[in-house]
Amino acid sequence: MKVDVLLGLQWGDEGKGKIVDFLTPNYNVIARFQGGPNAGHTLEFNNIKHVLHTIPSGIFHDNTENLIGNGVVIDPIILISEIEKAKAIGTDIFKTLLISKKAHLILPTHRLLDAANENKLGKNKIGSTLKGIGPCYTDKVARKGLRVGDILSNDFIKKFNIIIESHKQQLDFLEFEYDLESSIQDWLNAIDKIRMMKIVDGEWFINHAITNNKKILAEGAQGSLLDIDYGSYPFVTSSNTISAGVCTGLGIAPNKTGNILGIFKAYCTRVGSGPFPTELFDADGENLRTEGNEFGSTTGRPRRCGWLDLVALKYSIMINGVSELYMMKTDVLDSFQKIKVATAYIIDGKRHTEMPYELSQNIEPEYVEFKAWNTDTSKFSKFSELPVELLQYIKFIEEETGVPIKIVSVGPNRNQTIISDNF
Ligand code: GDP
Ligand code: IMO
Ligand code: MG
């Protein structure tokens, strides 16, 4: 079977964790293909709320295997703590989790370098989650990184020490003060635990699964507008978050990808620095943050909130080849009287419907205004029950994007998920 891909179409936190967990019973394998513990994917079921950073969101279903692909960067300490938290609620991840040998390792010094780089940028900082993502991918591309497969070799410690020494020199150059000793020991202890896990040739595992007709879902992290090539550069993450990243991040050929499931919030959020054309600084923005509980799953930072941006959404749909849309957090708009959607950008008096090279500060969004449904949607379970104003909102987005909306999510819980008749 071909590999379906689920990814976020905005600036992350669209609700990927919830939907992957919801869809997992339809799949044999869930695979993360990029990013690392900068991700925070939230799942809620049976009154339990769980946030995953590195582990694929299929882990709470016994019959599914979960692969951390080679495109992912792994912080061993965070991975082990995730595994232990899941174990505490009765899920033994050791059985169903596989790790690709070619995935790169985040060293304690990568995190320090992240902080040092951000310090140097001052008010121009990226707003990184400071998990060491950028420095780790930098070493990967510079051909100096340490991979999971290396922990099985005899000269692992030697390689590790060489990299740590070179990072220390960089930290000194950046005039960054640090204390490393205890984190190095914790890191090495976590590596000892990872050595006991299922470390595999990820590309062979996934291609055998394809040949054996297994159903596979690739789970994206971050969002398309944070993609290193197509996002709002330089305010992006350091990986390809788009569907093309699945091929390099798992080792599958382009003709082995199947449906591309694009997920977006019924409005828009962003955490960290960088342009955000539809950002709201008024009471509507505050309401979105409060109603949507828009605080980062990884860092707890308040998320910036704004109206849905169709210029950006259409761009993400194009870059990813999205075949179906899932609209998340619809219930957050339940208490609104009116809703706006941006359909164009006015830049220097000119109207643009295509994403410009840079999202500059002088973009004036052109909005279409809708009367809102003002109804509690969180208890609905069928499309036919949805209020007419919401159905009109859905139809408008479908017509503008040319892609069907097949899921409407109306709450954080697994069962607050409404599927369309043609799902
Ligand atoms: P991810 O990074 O894409 O997995 O998303 P996050 O987990 O970072 O953020 C999404 C947040 O919204 C989490 O707290 C989810 O529990 C919550 N959530 C997901 N879907 C819905 C929904 O339809 N309605 C509401 N109110 N919350 C949702
Ligand atoms: P999930 O998978 C939202 C943002 C950071 C920062 C920029 C770079 O939960 O949707 P990095 O740590 O990668 O150097 O940060 O990207 N960012 C995210 N924003 N959701 C995420 O992941 C994010 N991962 C990174 O806030 O602006
Ligand atoms: Mg998140």
Side-chain angles (χ1 to χ4, degrees):
M1 298 281 287
K2 292 193 173 188
V3 176
D4 289 342
V5 181
L6 180 133
L7 37 76
L9 300 178
Q10 295 162 320
W11 279 288
D13 303 328
E14 295 88 351
K16 297 175 290 292
K18 170 187 159 157
I19 287 297
V20 171
D21 171 61
F22 174 79
L23 294 175
T24 297
N26 304 336
Y27 291 95
N28 305 108
V29 179
I30 308 291
R32 276 275 306 268
F33 59 92
Q34 47 69 232
N38 48 351
H41 294 182
T42 315
L43 293 74
E44 276 189 49
F45 54 90
N46 302 342
N47 293 325
I48 294 174
K49 179 174 165 174
H50 209 90
V51 182
L52 296 170
H53 302 288
T54 326
I55 299 175
S57 302
I59 208 75
F60 294 107
H61 298 262
D62 290 342
N63 299 324
T64 308
E65 288 185 292
N66 290 268
L67 173 70
I68 301 177
N70 59 276
V72 175
V73 288
I74 299 173
D75 182 326
I77 298 178
I78 296 179
L79 175 59
I80 293 299
S81 114
E82 279 179 66
I83 292 173
E84 281 166 3
K85 275 190 199 147
K87 210 170 180 181
I89 60 161
T91 305
D92 192 359
I93 287 178
F94 273 93
K95 282 195 216 133
T96 53
L97 185 67
L98 301 104
I99 307 174
S100 168
K101 279 183 193 163
K102 293 193 169 86
H104 277 247
L105 290 166
I106 301 177
L107 275 58
T109 39
H110 283 135
R111 295 179 68 138
L112 295 172
L113 283 166
D114 221 354
N117 289 334
E118 285 283 73
N119 264 10
K120 272 274 179 255
L121 285 170
K123 67 175 178 33
N124 296 322
K125 68 178 182 184
I126 308 293
S128 165
T129 59
L130 302 179
K131 301 293 176 196
I133 306 294
C136 183
Y137 278 119
T138 302
D139 276 356
K140 172 178 176 173
V141 175
R143 298 162 293 184
K144 296 191 291 199
L146 203 55
R147 301 188 291 178
V148 170
D150 294 330
I151 72 177
L152 306 173
S153 85
N154 290 336
D155 60 353
F156 165 66
I157 288 290
K158 192 173 149 206
K159 281 185 186 168
F160 173 77
N161 285 334
I162 290 172
I163 301 174
I164 292 283
E165 282 313 310
S166 121
H167 287 169
K168 281 182 177 169
Q169 284 172 17
Q170 291 177 48
L171 288 163
D172 290 343
F173 178 76
L174 291 163
E175 296 168 329
F176 191 75
E177 285 184 24
Y178 57 88
D179 168 23
L180 249 184
E181 292 321 307
S182 65
S183 51
I184 287 203
Q185 200 44 57
D186 291 348
W187 194 90
L188 291 171
N189 291 345
I191 287 289
D192 285 341
K193 292 186 181 160
I194 290 178
R195 232 181 244 116
M196 319 294 283
M197 296 175 63
K198 291 184 184 169
I199 297 174
V200 299
D201 292 302
E203 67 276 35
W204 285 109
F205 168 81
I206 211 89
N207 280 288
H208 286 318
I210 293 171
T211 313
N212 292 330
N213 274 332
K214 297 272 192 248
K215 293 196 76 186
I216 305 165
L217 178 66
E219 171 182 2
Q222 289 79 56
S224 301
L225 303 176
L226 288 170
D227 180 84
I228 183 74
D229 283 286
Y230 300 101
S232 46
Y233 194 87
F235 299 100
V236 292
T237 190
S238 301
S239 64
N240 278 120
T241 61
I242 57 170
S243 53
V246 173
C247 296
T248 53
L250 290 179
I252 60 164
N255 62 0
K256 295 288 182 344
T257 51
N259 294 325
I260 312 289
L261 320 173
I263 128 167
F264 69 104
K265 282 181 190 171
Y267 49 98
C268 231
T269 64
R270 169 162 211 171
V271 61
S273 324
F276 180 0
T278 61
E279 183 169 10
L280 292 168
F281 301 95
D282 58 7
D284 283 334
E286 200 47 54
N287 282 345
L288 287 172
R289 183 156 35 252
T290 319
E291 295 293 323
N293 192 21
E294 294 295 359
F295 297 89
S297 314
T298 297
T299 58
R301 292 178 291 179
R303 296 179 185 140
R304 300 153 64 192
C305 298
W307 298 120
L308 181 64
D309 181 342
L310 282 182
V311 180
L313 189 68
K314 285 185 198 173
Y315 181 71
S316 294
I317 289 171
M318 174 184 81
I319 296 289
N320 289 302
V322 171
S323 50
E324 48 197 84
L325 287 168
Y326 299 170
M327 184 163 83
M328 308 299 292
K329 303 194 87 161
T330 313
D331 55 300
V332 173
L333 299 175
D334 283 356
S335 61
F336 282 68
Q337 300 296 328
K338 60 166 178 50
I339 301 169
K340 290 186 186 178
V341 177
T343 48
Y345 296 156
I346 310 297
I347 309 171
D348 298 330
K350 276 175 102 177
R351 188 172 186 274
H352 296 255
T353 52
E354 293 184 357
M355 193 80 156
Y357 169 66
E358 265 186 322
L359 286 177
S360 60
Q361 296 306 316
N362 64 351
I363 289 179
E364 188 65 44
E366 182 184 280
Y367 288 110
V368 174
E369 193 173 304
F370 291 81
K371 181 174 175 290
W373 42 96
N374 212 244
T375 309
D376 177 6
T377 58
S378 65
K379 302 277 183 302
F380 291 143
S381 56
K382 295 196 191 86
F383 255 66
S384 55
E385 293 169 342
L386 297 178
V388 62
E389 293 86 352
L390 172 51
L391 291 171
Q392 279 165 355
Y393 190 62
I394 291 170
K395 190 158 175 266
F396 180 78
I397 298 167
E398 289 184 328
E399 281 173 0
E400 283 284 316
T401 59
V403 184
I405 295 183
K406 293 208 171 177
I407 284 184
V408 172
S409 174
V410 291
N413 207 284
R414 203 184 255 175
N415 55 24
Q416 290 174 301
T417 312
I418 307 178
I419 54 174
S420 81
D421 293 339
N422 59 350
F423 183 71

